[in-house]
Amino acid sequence: MSSGTTKIELVLNALRTVQDPDLKKDLVTLGMIRDLQVHSSGQATFRVVLTTPACPVKDLLKSQAAAAAMTVPGIESVEVTMDAEVKNRLSTTAKGLPGVQHIIAVSSGKGGVGKSTVSVNLATSLALDGARVGLLDADIYGPNIPTMMGVTENPKLTVHPEKGEVFIPPTSHGVKVMSMGFLTQGDQPVIWRGPMLHNILNQFCTRVEWGDLDYLIIDLPPGTGDVQLSLAQMLPLTGTVLVTTPQEISLQDVRKAFNMWDKVKVPVLGVVENMSFFKGDDGKIYRIFGEGGGDLLSKKFSTRLLAQMPLLPAIREGGDSGRPIVVQDLNHDAAHEFRKLAREVAREVAILNASSEASTLEIGAFH
Ligand SMILES: Nc1ncnc2c1ncn2[C@@H]1O[C@H](COP(=O)(O)OP(=O)(O)O)[C@@H](O)[C@H]1O
Ligand SMILES: [Mg+2]
């Protein structure tokens, strides 16, 4: 055995002391260490392949991995490259859109709570972290994603050898965007119902050439009616992010939404409480719509309160101008909050995925 091999083993052993805090296993066991080399100069180089580019503990893991490798005698320097591969090991892939790893629905019990605002900032934040992201505006009654994403071109129609005519979605802020808004004329209200609606939704889901995506975010129509159920059953959803405001009325609607998701067996990844508070010029916090609703709700339904977003003119302006606040003003507190939210969502998806993988392995062990 050459001394190089031994060193590689020593570095690997050292890396076994670094745990992924969410997946509760070490980086080597998780198969995250790749291309490990120890050069004659005493430099160790390797890649850490995370389960999502939007990993909230990316920087921490990078420094811990580097520090662990440095403890090995003879290692003079360490170069760590952070990378990610988003995979879907859930059963949802079976009937999935090919090439799309995770479909995440943004839903709400009622309209006007900021569902579209959360969708655009979530999608854009994931893209800013390096993920491949699509955003499907399935809110057929109020398709305003194109405006909020500042999309000016229409999708291109092209002929796919197997699927026939398909739409190529335009890209904005690094996100592929598809919306019913592209297919309707100006201010005409959408009045499709029943089978026609189902048909349109189906086309919408299957006739878009998304290519390879890590995450497809869907802005669902508000409420808990047929359209939501159709969509939830038609699409292999990994989970949903529920948006609410703190008022009781909206919470009652969210309770209904929880029940609906439970019925169709789609996991709720967590709750976003939007318009939680307003910070005055005096720095004082005003809880305009009441307090603690999201917190209560997440406890009652044993899910996480992922974020509490302030009521803020800059958030609305970001939507109106087609430049979400996370691109408009990267240093704004609210932009940080949205970036954090996106990482929390990615974390929940990664945990869900890992737990499913673990149960598959356990089942496999019996055969
Ligand atoms: N946190 C917020 N602060 C300020 N305005 C917001 C916030 N969230 C949403 N809005 C604004 O409220 C309106 C409704 O939000 P929208 O995202 O369209 O809701 P929904 O999709 O649930 O109907 C929009 O004009 C949006 O810009
Ligand atoms: Mg909306």
Side-chain angles (χ1 to χ4, degrees), residues 44-56:
T45 56
F46 55 90
R47 284 194 302 142
V48 178
V49 182
L50 301 171
T51 51
T52 171
C55 176

Side-chain angles (χ1 to χ4, degrees), residues 267-298:
V268 176
L269 300 169
V271 175
V272 176
E273 192 183 80
N274 191 28
M275 310 187 199
S276 284
F277 58 90
F278 176 76
K279 197 169 168 185
D281 287 339
D282 51 2
K284 234 173 116 181
I285 303 276
Y286 299 88
R287 308 262 172 195
I288 298 166
F289 296 122
E291 204 166 328
D295 200 24
L296 256 178
L297 201 90
S298 52

Side-chain angles (χ1 to χ4, degrees), residues 33 39 50 64 80 107 116 125 166 228 321 328:
I33 305 298
H39 305 273
L50 301 171
Q64 287 184 346
V80 188
S107 61
S116 300
S125 294
V166 290
Q228 292 78 8
S321 65
Q328 173 105 330

